[in-house]
Amino acid sequence: MDPNSPPKVEIRNVHQHVDQEVVIEGWLYNLRESGKILFPIFRDGTGLIQGVVVKSAVAPEVFANGRELTQESSLRVTGKVRAEPRAPGGFELGVTALEVVQLVPADHAYPITPKDHGVEFLMDHRHLWLRSTRQRAILGVRHEIIKACRDFFDDRGFTLVDTPILTPSACEGTTTLFEVDYFDEKAYLTQSGQLYNEAAAMAVGKTYCFGPTFRAEKSKTRRHLTEFWMIEPEVAYAGLDDIMPLAEELVAFVVRRVLDHRRAEIETLGRDIAKLEACTAPFPRLTYDEAVEILIEKGSEITWGGDFGGTDETLLSEKFDRPVIVHRYPSQVKAFYMAPDTARPEVALCVDVLAPEGYGEIIGGGERLADYDLLLSRIEEAKLPREAFEWYLDLRRYGTVPHAGFGMGIERVVAWICGLEHVRETIPFPRMLNRLTP
Ligand code: 4AD
Ligand code: MG
């Protein structure tokens, strides 16, 4: 590269280059023409900046090329950064040169225009839709949430231990398993890393895994994906009373981090920030019994022993201005590995955290069955194939201890923090009952 050529700069950093000439590599976001001046808006993935091309001030081909620019054409633009309080972002670029990398043909224009498109159209063009300002804001918040979760556990002495995606058995019930051919055997895409986390916790004490998990959910709701990401901590020598505060601290930490680091994105999304600011610990705690009473008062059809539906979760969350913790559900609605409450064996030592404003369950977890005989009988009752669980039973044969953990679904948290109507926008390429492409 010519040492005298202007530096390449990201749009987010243009404030460091006022009155200097810079090069920006990006795409055309929009173009407005006003007589002998063009106002192209450029984007580069880090921000937007308005360019100004004055016909009388540039070479004739620069102005001619600028006029022909189409939405999403890729380009390298050279220009001088100027402070301009009236421009969006506070800066503008006095364009001196334009190198078009690819001109999107005018007769084959970029399919997503500023007009309104239907959701299915946008989902079919998800690979392009991601370029929009709104989707970019969501991607940024998602990134921050994931990083915050990792920092939270890393800073508290947890060891990341990766768990497998191809597994020989179910973790969360056999009705939502994706089966795959594994040479001459059947394998399943993991529903949760938990069982392996329990092995890891016995090795390192405090562990977490973070990865994609799969549920063959036939439900078409705004909260369900078939592929979603889950962060799952597991702690040896811990019980329900240890992981409830852990879950609470994690959620409060993540919200705080997003408010501190991603305010611009949250504002872009039009999120009500005061509602997020309210989400500080401690969170209200209810037993399942208390939650059922509240629900009946609010007109739900629920009876003791049933699981909460999405509407029940929404009704409950409406009562509080921050996430609510519900513990001790009936064992019959929970997975086989849940430890019963010895004081009341019909309920499990489990916990769900429900997000406010009707965003539903974001965390599920609890204390695990540590007793060999009890665990074996639960595996048999659940009609799970014992052979596939022999290794899991080993954890109870060799130095079993009380232990507990939970899983937090990243997409539900993104939906809540960003204030999105549906989880389909929370993950770059959503997988749902009716969607496997792009
Ligand atoms: O409550 P779940 O099923 O719990 C478990 O899988 C435990 N084994 C986790 C553990 O204890 N290590 O799922 C945990 C969370 C839910 O609270 C929800 O946030 C999310 O995962 N989740 C989903 N998110 C999107 N789409 C789906 N189909 C989801 N199913 C669960
Ligand atoms: Mg759950």
Side-chain angles (χ1 to χ4, degrees):
M1 213 176 108
D2 178 354
N4 296 320
S5 61
K8 277 190 208 173
V9 165
E10 291 182 337
I11 293 174
R12 69 175 141 207
N13 294 330
V14 291
H15 62 277
Q16 299 165 358
H17 298 270
V18 177
D19 297 330
Q20 289 170 21
E21 190 152 73
V22 300
V23 174
I24 287 170
E25 296 181 314
W27 295 264
L28 185 83
Y29 181 72
N30 192 17
L31 177 64
R32 199 160 52 83
E33 187 174 350
S34 168
K36 296 190 162 85
I37 309 181
L38 305 176
F39 296 101
I41 298 177
F42 305 111
R43 62 164 200 92
D44 73 346
T46 74
L48 298 177
I49 190 167
Q50 177 174 286
V52 181
V53 192
V54 181
K55 190 171 185 184
S56 58
V58 296
E61 70 274 12
V62 173
F63 193 82
N65 288 343
R67 276 190 83 179
E68 298 306 309
L69 284 178
T70 43
Q71 192 189 349
E72 288 305 315
S73 287
S74 42
L75 41 89
R76 280 190 196 92
V77 52
T78 307
K80 198 169 186 180
V81 179
R82 290 192 293 251
E84 172 49 73
R86 285 168 304 175
F91 301 92
E92 65 177 22
L93 196 70
V95 175
T96 52
L98 262 180
E99 179 196 338
V100 179
V101 178
Q102 187 238 339
L103 187 69
V104 175
D107 59 356
H108 208 91
Y110 187 69
I112 303 177
T113 57
K115 71 161 197 195
D116 274 348
H117 296 284
V119 163
E120 285 309 307
F121 178 88
L122 290 170
M123 290 305 290
D124 287 340
H125 294 85
R126 184 70 177 157
H127 49 294
L128 302 177
W129 189 22
L130 290 177
R131 302 181 189 189
S132 74
T133 303
R134 191 181 147 78
Q135 296 305 318
R136 197 172 64 76
I138 297 170
L139 291 175
V141 174
R142 179 186 168 98
H143 169 86
E144 195 69 47
I145 288 172
I146 290 171
K147 187 164 186 321
C149 289
R150 289 189 178 283
D151 288 347
F152 179 86
F153 290 115
D154 293 349
D155 293 347
R156 282 165 181 73
F158 284 69
T159 302
L160 171 74
V161 179
D162 301 310
T163 55
I165 287 173
L166 289 166
T167 63
S169 55
C171 178
E172 295 298 320
T174 49
T175 55
T176 61
L177 278 177
F178 277 113
E179 198 177 284
V180 290
D181 286 329
Y182 193 75
F183 307 111
D184 296 328
E185 292 177 67
K186 291 269 171 265
Y188 307 97
L189 299 182
T190 186
Q191 296 168 308
S192 157
Q194 181 198 319
L195 306 185
Y196 298 94
N197 261 353
E198 292 182 48
M202 300 308 138
V204 300
K206 292 191 282 189
T207 186
Y208 73 97
C209 67
F210 177 57
T213 49
F214 304 85
R215 307 273 168 103
E217 300 269 11
K218 294 266 165 59
S219 32
K220 257 174 84 180
T221 79
R222 62 198 184 92
R223 297 172 184 169
H224 288 92
L225 294 162
T226 53
E227 177 179 310
F228 63 98
W229 286 65
M230 183 153 49
I231 188 138
E232 299 180 82
E234 191 73 30
V235 185
Y237 286 104
L240 180 62
D241 290 337
D242 301 301
I243 55 136
M244 283 203 282
L246 188 70
E248 179 178 81
E249 278 170 41
L250 169 67
V251 172
F253 180 88
V254 168
V255 172
R256 190 67 252 157
R257 172 71 77 83
V258 172
L259 286 170
D260 289 345
H261 290 199
R262 297 287 175 166
R263 194 166 283 257
E265 282 86 343
I266 291 293
E267 279 168 3
T268 295
L269 294 167
R271 182 68 167 107
D272 184 343
I273 290 179
K275 292 215 160 102
L276 294 177
E277 293 277 5
C279 295
T280 54
F283 300 157
R285 283 188 197 185
L286 303 173
T287 61
Y288 169 88
D289 300 9
E290 290 165 334
V292 167
E293 269 176 41
I294 294 175
L295 288 173
I296 291 172
E297 244 167 62
K298 288 189 160 256
S300 163
E301 309 262 281
I302 186 121
T303 52
W304 197 97
D307 203 359
F308 299 154
T311 321
D312 293 320
E313 289 175 358
T314 302
L315 280 176
L316 264 182
S317 71
E318 280 168 0
K319 235 184 116 71
F320 305 98
D321 67 342
R322 63 196 74 199
V324 54
I325 298 178
V326 184
H327 57 97
R328 292 182 170 78
Y329 287 67
S331 301
Q332 69 199 48
V333 300
K334 291 292 176 184
F336 73 95
Y337 53 70
M338 298 275 188
D341 187 345
T342 45
R344 232 186 121 194
E346 72 278 16
V347 299
L349 294 174
C350 64
V351 58
D352 278 5
V353 179
L354 311 181
E357 302 168 73
Y359 285 94
E361 178 198 327
I362 49 173
I363 285 181
E367 191 170 325
R368 323 305 187 183
L369 259 177
D371 180 77
Y372 177 87
D373 294 316
L374 221 46
L375 178 61
L376 182 59
S377 65
R378 292 301 302 268
I379 288 174
E380 283 166 353
E381 275 164 38
K383 298 199 169 54
L384 293 166
R386 179 174 166 168
E387 325 75 71
F389 288 90
E390 279 303 336
W391 70 267
Y392 186 62
L393 285 161
D394 264 357
L395 305 177
R396 278 70 180 169
R397 289 187 186 105
Y398 304 109
T400 190
V401 300
H403 60 288
F406 60 82
M408 182 166 90
I410 293 298
E411 289 73 18
R412 299 254 182 106
V413 174
V414 175
W416 161 48
I417 292 183
C418 290
L420 308 176
E421 195 179 300
H422 197 293
V423 286
R424 66 184 160 229
E425 281 183 69
T426 63
I427 184 164
F429 297 99
R431 299 291 174 248
M432 296 177 289
L433 187 55
N434 297 326
R435 181 161 297 277
L436 188 58
T437 47

mmCIF file of all heavy atoms in Angstrom, residues 172 192 194 215 217 223-225 228 230 232 337 361-365 368 405-407 409 412, ligand 1:
data_model
loop_
_atom_site.group_PDB
_atom_site.id
_atom_site.type_symbol
_atom_site.label_atom_id
_atom_site.label_comp_id
_atom_site.label_asym_id
_atom_site.label_seq_id
_atom_site.Cartn_x
_atom_site.Cartn_y
_atom_site.Cartn_z
ATOM 1 N N GLU A 172 -33.876 -34.112 28.442
ATOM 2 C CA GLU A 172 -35.092 -33.367 28.794
ATOM 3 C C GLU A 172 -36.359 -33.999 28.215
ATOM 4 O O GLU A 172 -37.211 -33.295 27.704
ATOM 5 C CB GLU A 172 -34.957 -31.924 28.310
ATOM 6 C CG GLU A 172 -33.873 -31.136 28.993
ATOM 7 C CD GLU A 172 -34.097 -30.979 30.493
ATOM 8 O OE1 GLU A 172 -35.240 -30.769 30.902
ATOM 9 O OE2 GLU A 172 -33.105 -31.087 31.235
ATOM 10 N N SER A 192 -29.401 -30.569 26.136
ATOM 11 C CA SER A 192 -28.809 -29.850 27.262
ATOM 12 C C SER A 192 -27.481 -30.519 27.588
ATOM 13 O O SER A 192 -27.355 -31.732 27.443
ATOM 14 C CB SER A 192 -29.753 -29.957 28.474
ATOM 15 O OG SER A 192 -29.059 -29.763 29.687
ATOM 16 N N GLN A 194 -26.330 -30.714 30.496
ATOM 17 C CA GLN A 194 -26.360 -30.929 31.942
ATOM 18 C C GLN A 194 -25.747 -32.235 32.435
ATOM 19 O O GLN A 194 -24.960 -32.247 33.377
ATOM 20 C CB GLN A 194 -27.803 -30.844 32.445
ATOM 21 C CG GLN A 194 -27.886 -31.037 33.945
ATOM 22 C CD GLN A 194 -29.286 -31.378 34.387
ATOM 23 O OE1 GLN A 194 -30.237 -30.795 33.885
ATOM 24 N NE2 GLN A 194 -29.423 -32.298 35.316
ATOM 25 N N ARG A 215 -34.123 -28.919 20.354
ATOM 26 C CA ARG A 215 -35.402 -29.490 20.804
ATOM 27 C C ARG A 215 -36.310 -29.602 19.588
ATOM 28 O O ARG A 215 -36.566 -28.589 18.917
ATOM 29 C CB ARG A 215 -36.093 -28.594 21.840
ATOM 30 C CG ARG A 215 -35.259 -28.207 23.042
ATOM 31 C CD ARG A 215 -35.306 -29.209 24.180
ATOM 32 N NE ARG A 215 -34.263 -28.908 25.161
ATOM 33 C CZ ARG A 215 -34.479 -28.316 26.343
ATOM 34 N NH1 ARG A 215 -35.705 -27.998 26.694
ATOM 35 N NH2 ARG A 215 -33.466 -28.067 27.160
ATOM 36 N N GLU A 217 -39.179 -29.187 19.005
ATOM 37 C CA GLU A 217 -40.412 -28.589 19.525
ATOM 38 C C GLU A 217 -41.412 -28.448 18.388
ATOM 39 O O GLU A 217 -41.145 -27.759 17.415
ATOM 40 C CB GLU A 217 -40.143 -27.188 20.086
ATOM 41 C CG GLU A 217 -39.160 -27.131 21.225
ATOM 42 C CD GLU A 217 -39.823 -27.258 22.583
ATOM 43 O OE1 GLU A 217 -41.025 -27.603 22.646
ATOM 44 O OE2 GLU A 217 -39.118 -27.023 23.583
ATOM 45 N N ARG A 223 -41.646 -18.041 21.593
ATOM 46 C CA ARG A 223 -40.545 -18.333 22.517
ATOM 47 C C ARG A 223 -39.752 -19.572 22.149
ATOM 48 O O ARG A 223 -38.773 -19.883 22.824
ATOM 49 C CB ARG A 223 -41.106 -18.555 23.926
ATOM 50 C CG ARG A 223 -41.775 -17.338 24.504
ATOM 51 C CD ARG A 223 -42.460 -17.689 25.803
ATOM 52 N NE ARG A 223 -43.196 -16.538 26.327
ATOM 53 C CZ ARG A 223 -44.047 -16.611 27.318
ATOM 54 N NH1 ARG A 223 -44.281 -17.776 27.904
ATOM 55 N NH2 ARG A 223 -44.670 -15.534 27.740
ATOM 56 N N HIS A 224 -40.174 -20.312 21.144
ATOM 57 C CA HIS A 224 -39.531 -21.596 20.857
ATOM 58 C C HIS A 224 -38.732 -21.629 19.563
ATOM 59 O O HIS A 224 -39.227 -21.271 18.505
ATOM 60 C CB HIS A 224 -40.577 -22.716 20.811
ATOM 61 C CG HIS A 224 -41.108 -23.063 22.161
ATOM 62 N ND1 HIS A 224 -42.229 -22.481 22.689
ATOM 63 C CD2 HIS A 224 -40.643 -23.924 23.105
ATOM 64 C CE1 HIS A 224 -42.444 -22.960 23.901
ATOM 65 N NE2 HIS A 224 -41.491 -23.839 24.178
ATOM 66 N N LEU A 225 -37.521 -22.111 19.688
ATOM 67 C CA LEU A 225 -36.682 -22.415 18.537
ATOM 68 C C LEU A 225 -36.377 -23.913 18.611
ATOM 69 O O LEU A 225 -36.486 -24.518 19.676
ATOM 70 C CB LEU A 225 -35.367 -21.630 18.631
ATOM 71 C CG LEU A 225 -35.480 -20.110 18.526
ATOM 72 C CD1 LEU A 225 -34.224 -19.441 19.066
ATOM 73 C CD2 LEU A 225 -35.721 -19.695 17.080
ATOM 74 N N PHE A 228 -31.218 -23.674 19.843
ATOM 75 C CA PHE A 228 -30.976 -22.465 20.631
ATOM 76 C C PHE A 228 -29.709 -22.646 21.452
ATOM 77 O O PHE A 228 -29.205 -23.753 21.590
ATOM 78 C CB PHE A 228 -32.179 -22.137 21.533
ATOM 79 C CG PHE A 228 -32.477 -23.191 22.578
ATOM 80 C CD1 PHE A 228 -32.012 -23.045 23.888
ATOM 81 C CD2 PHE A 228 -33.214 -24.310 22.259
ATOM 82 C CE1 PHE A 228 -32.291 -24.015 24.853
ATOM 83 C CE2 PHE A 228 -33.487 -25.287 23.226
ATOM 84 C CZ PHE A 228 -33.017 -25.133 24.510
ATOM 85 N N MET A 230 -27.516 -22.309 24.970
ATOM 86 C CA MET A 230 -27.786 -22.330 26.417
ATOM 87 C C MET A 230 -26.464 -22.261 27.165
ATOM 88 O O MET A 230 -25.496 -22.915 26.795
ATOM 89 C CB MET A 230 -28.563 -23.610 26.756
ATOM 90 C CG MET A 230 -28.944 -23.685 28.210
ATOM 91 S SD MET A 230 -30.423 -24.661 28.603
ATOM 92 C CE MET A 230 -30.191 -26.187 27.757
ATOM 93 N N GLU A 232 -24.908 -23.145 30.799
ATOM 94 C CA GLU A 232 -25.317 -24.030 31.891
ATOM 95 C C GLU A 232 -24.201 -24.186 32.928
ATOM 96 O O GLU A 232 -23.212 -24.856 32.674
ATOM 97 C CB GLU A 232 -25.677 -25.411 31.328
ATOM 98 C CG GLU A 232 -26.828 -25.388 30.338
ATOM 99 C CD GLU A 232 -27.140 -26.786 29.803
ATOM 100 O OE1 GLU A 232 -27.850 -27.542 30.486
ATOM 101 O OE2 GLU A 232 -26.658 -27.122 28.702
ATOM 102 N N TYR A 337 -34.131 -36.208 36.614
ATOM 103 C CA TYR A 337 -32.928 -36.028 37.438
ATOM 104 C C TYR A 337 -33.117 -35.087 38.624
ATOM 105 O O TYR A 337 -32.201 -34.804 39.369
ATOM 106 C CB TYR A 337 -31.781 -35.511 36.563
ATOM 107 C CG TYR A 337 -32.163 -34.268 35.774
ATOM 108 C CD1 TYR A 337 -32.355 -33.040 36.406
ATOM 109 C CD2 TYR A 337 -32.365 -34.334 34.396
ATOM 110 C CE1 TYR A 337 -32.737 -31.921 35.699
ATOM 111 C CE2 TYR A 337 -32.745 -33.203 33.673
ATOM 112 C CZ TYR A 337 -32.927 -32.009 34.332
ATOM 113 O OH TYR A 337 -33.307 -30.896 33.628
ATOM 114 N N GLU A 361 -40.044 -18.064 30.567
ATOM 115 C CA GLU A 361 -38.977 -18.708 31.339
ATOM 116 C C GLU A 361 -37.625 -18.493 30.662
ATOM 117 O O GLU A 361 -37.436 -18.858 29.517
ATOM 118 C CB GLU A 361 -39.292 -20.212 31.423
ATOM 119 C CG GLU A 361 -38.244 -21.008 32.147
ATOM 120 C CD GLU A 361 -38.338 -22.514 31.848
ATOM 121 O OE1 GLU A 361 -39.450 -23.036 31.638
ATOM 122 O OE2 GLU A 361 -37.279 -23.151 31.818
ATOM 123 N N ILE A 362 -36.701 -17.917 31.407
ATOM 124 C CA ILE A 362 -35.350 -17.739 30.842
ATOM 125 C C ILE A 362 -34.354 -18.712 31.455
ATOM 126 O O ILE A 362 -33.321 -18.993 30.866
ATOM 127 C CB ILE A 362 -34.838 -16.281 30.987
ATOM 128 C CG1 ILE A 362 -35.021 -15.742 32.407
ATOM 129 C CG2 ILE A 362 -35.521 -15.386 29.964
ATOM 130 C CD1 ILE A 362 -34.376 -14.366 32.633
ATOM 131 N N ILE A 363 -34.662 -19.204 32.667
ATOM 132 C CA ILE A 363 -33.751 -20.132 33.348
ATOM 133 C C ILE A 363 -34.559 -21.291 33.910
ATOM 134 O O ILE A 363 -35.658 -21.099 34.440
ATOM 135 C CB ILE A 363 -33.003 -19.418 34.500
ATOM 136 C CG1 ILE A 363 -31.911 -18.496 33.930
ATOM 137 C CG2 ILE A 363 -32.401 -20.422 35.492
ATOM 138 C CD1 ILE A 363 -31.098 -17.760 34.991
ATOM 139 N N GLY A 364 -33.988 -22.505 33.785
ATOM 140 C CA GLY A 364 -34.558 -23.674 34.450
ATOM 141 C C GLY A 364 -33.429 -24.481 35.053
ATOM 142 O O GLY A 364 -32.365 -24.606 34.446
ATOM 143 N N GLY A 365 -33.634 -24.985 36.263
ATOM 144 C CA GLY A 365 -32.573 -25.782 36.879
ATOM 145 C C GLY A 365 -32.971 -26.280 38.239
ATOM 146 O O GLY A 365 -34.166 -26.311 38.574
ATOM 147 N N ARG A 368 -29.835 -31.798 41.835
ATOM 148 C CA ARG A 368 -29.932 -33.088 41.141
ATOM 149 C C ARG A 368 -30.061 -34.230 42.127
ATOM 150 O O ARG A 368 -29.580 -34.153 43.264
ATOM 151 C CB ARG A 368 -28.689 -33.322 40.280
ATOM 152 C CG ARG A 368 -28.096 -32.106 39.592
ATOM 153 C CD ARG A 368 -29.104 -31.367 38.752
ATOM 154 N NE ARG A 368 -28.468 -30.296 37.962
ATOM 155 C CZ ARG A 368 -29.133 -29.471 37.194
ATOM 156 N NH1 ARG A 368 -30.463 -29.513 37.134
ATOM 157 N NH2 ARG A 368 -28.494 -28.557 36.482
ATOM 158 N N GLY A 405 -27.442 -26.991 39.485
ATOM 159 C CA GLY A 405 -27.074 -26.121 38.367
ATOM 160 C C GLY A 405 -28.316 -25.656 37.634
ATOM 161 O O GLY A 405 -29.449 -25.941 38.038
ATOM 162 N N PHE A 406 -28.098 -24.932 36.560
ATOM 163 C CA PHE A 406 -29.242 -24.477 35.768
ATOM 164 C C PHE A 406 -28.809 -24.174 34.337
ATOM 165 O O PHE A 406 -27.604 -24.193 34.026
ATOM 166 C CB PHE A 406 -29.913 -23.250 36.406
ATOM 167 C CG PHE A 406 -29.027 -22.037 36.557
ATOM 168 C CD1 PHE A 406 -28.807 -21.166 35.497
ATOM 169 C CD2 PHE A 406 -28.426 -21.757 37.790
ATOM 170 C CE1 PHE A 406 -28.006 -20.038 35.651
ATOM 171 C CE2 PHE A 406 -27.610 -20.625 37.946
ATOM 172 C CZ PHE A 406 -27.401 -19.766 36.873
ATOM 173 N N GLY A 407 -29.787 -23.926 33.506
ATOM 174 C CA GLY A 407 -29.507 -23.533 32.122
ATOM 175 C C GLY A 407 -30.248 -22.246 31.806
ATOM 176 O O GLY A 407 -31.417 -22.072 32.196
ATOM 177 N N GLY A 409 -31.402 -19.881 28.641
ATOM 178 C CA GLY A 409 -31.542 -19.814 27.181
ATOM 179 C C GLY A 409 -31.191 -18.414 26.687
ATOM 180 O O GLY A 409 -31.844 -17.433 27.045
ATOM 181 N N ARG A 412 -33.988 -16.342 24.633
ATOM 182 C CA ARG A 412 -35.069 -15.759 25.447
ATOM 183 C C ARG A 412 -34.580 -14.493 26.147
ATOM 184 O O ARG A 412 -35.323 -13.517 26.293
ATOM 185 C CB ARG A 412 -35.532 -16.779 26.499
ATOM 186 C CG ARG A 412 -36.087 -18.067 25.893
ATOM 187 C CD ARG A 412 -37.582 -18.133 26.017
ATOM 188 N NE ARG A 412 -38.076 -19.400 25.481
ATOM 189 C CZ ARG A 412 -38.506 -20.411 26.229
ATOM 190 N NH1 ARG A 412 -38.512 -20.298 27.558
ATOM 191 N NH2 ARG A 412 -38.951 -21.514 25.673
HETATM 192 O O1 4AD B 1 -35.775 -25.638 31.377
HETATM 193 P P1 4AD B 1 -34.868 -26.352 30.430
HETATM 194 O O2 4AD B 1 -35.453 -27.397 29.577
HETATM 195 O O3 4AD B 1 -33.695 -26.932 31.341
HETATM 196 C C1 4AD B 1 -32.690 -27.744 30.949
HETATM 197 O O4 4AD B 1 -32.445 -28.084 29.810
HETATM 198 C C2 4AD B 1 -31.759 -28.128 32.054
HETATM 199 N N1 4AD B 1 -31.145 -29.410 31.730
HETATM 200 C C3 4AD B 1 -30.708 -27.039 32.221
HETATM 201 C C4 4AD B 1 -29.778 -27.312 33.369
HETATM 202 O O5 4AD B 1 -30.232 -27.426 34.484
HETATM 203 N N2 4AD B 1 -28.506 -27.396 33.103
HETATM 204 O O6 4AD B 1 -34.170 -25.282 29.499
HETATM 205 C C5 4AD B 1 -33.418 -24.223 30.058
HETATM 206 C C6 4AD B 1 -33.703 -22.919 29.346
HETATM 207 C C7 4AD B 1 -35.146 -22.448 29.445
HETATM 208 O O7 4AD B 1 -35.375 -21.781 30.658
HETATM 209 C C8 4AD B 1 -35.250 -21.520 28.256
HETATM 210 O O8 4AD B 1 -34.651 -20.277 28.544
HETATM 211 C C9 4AD B 1 -34.382 -22.211 27.239
HETATM 212 O O9 4AD B 1 -33.492 -23.060 27.945
HETATM 213 N N3 4AD B 1 -35.177 -23.011 26.296
HETATM 214 C C10 4AD B 1 -35.483 -22.631 25.041
HETATM 215 N N4 4AD B 1 -35.201 -21.525 24.345
HETATM 216 C C11 4AD B 1 -35.642 -21.421 23.083
HETATM 217 N N5 4AD B 1 -36.345 -22.388 22.459
HETATM 218 C C12 4AD B 1 -36.662 -23.541 23.105
HETATM 219 N N6 4AD B 1 -37.332 -24.496 22.473
HETATM 220 C C13 4AD B 1 -36.226 -23.685 24.460
HETATM 221 N N7 4AD B 1 -36.334 -24.669 25.388
HETATM 222 C C14 4AD B 1 -35.701 -24.245 26.484
#
